[in-house]
Amino acid sequence: MAARRESAVRQHTFSLYNLSANEIYFQDYAILCQSTLNEDQKIKGRIKICSKSLVFVPNDIRSPMIKISYQQISKFEDSRKNELSLTDSTIVSSSNTNKKNSNSLILICSSVTLMAINGRIEPYTIIYDPHRFYFEFVYSNVEDCLSVVGQLYRSTTLPFPGQVMMIESIVQGRLKMLKFDLKQLKDLYEKILFEQDAYVIKPLIQNPGKCLLTNQCCYFQVLNNINEQQIVKYDLSALFKITKRRYKFRYIGCELQFKLTEQ
């Protein structure tokens, strides 16, 4: 009965529009969150790793989504409250690195942004007070998260051009490891004509992934899990217009328009 009640609770719908303009969402982890915002109660949810911020999305819609900008984070700590410092590759403990640490991370920030309070669509609430967050990872290791967060956190300390280049290098490195799932092809006898890393561009949004073109369909496999289906398929028989577009002041964009098909 408890499991049924928990599954029946409405959940937040995380969207790329919850992020800053052109901010990139990479991945997420299941965690238990304690903070001074919720009187240190443990709340189940997922932590979203993004290029400019961390976003905690609770399972219960009655708790708000919490956005923490990397620029507002003043300190990282491990479970023993040892301060974590940045190195060239990741965040490591400044002391007692050989001791076995619990699977958790503590951070202290100067301000937070509350979104979708009680599931309502309304202007975000920014709280300009120091807060402490304790993240306990459920299924994954905290080191996996720190290896990504460490690079993104360091990028915020760079000038804007350097920050853009560092984030772009992280994206390109992940795209190189992304392999298109050929089992998702519409037809076994489809002929692959083109495969390239690409971005889906929408107003205020850019979402990286891999584009695959065959003689029957155009596929796009996103880098993250923002959609229920990781691969989106467009049938070329419904294509009626192709337009060359500028992106980042270069003619490297392509807009495809498809006819709506009756379901």
Side-chain angles (χ1 to χ4, degrees), residues 42-56:
K42 282 192 175 182
I43 299 178
K44 294 182 179 180
R46 304 191 72 86
I47 186 73
K48 307 288 184 178
I49 311 299
C50 308
S51 58
K52 300 178 183 179
S53 62
L54 298 173
V55 180
F56 173 66

Side-chain angles (χ1 to χ4, degrees), residues 85-104:
S85 59
L86 293 176
T87 64
D88 293 335
S89 58
T90 185
I91 300 176
V92 297
S93 178
S94 58
S95 62
N96 297 330
T97 54
N98 295 326
K99 293 184 179 180
K100 184 177 180 181
N101 295 327
S102 64
N103 203 29
S104 60

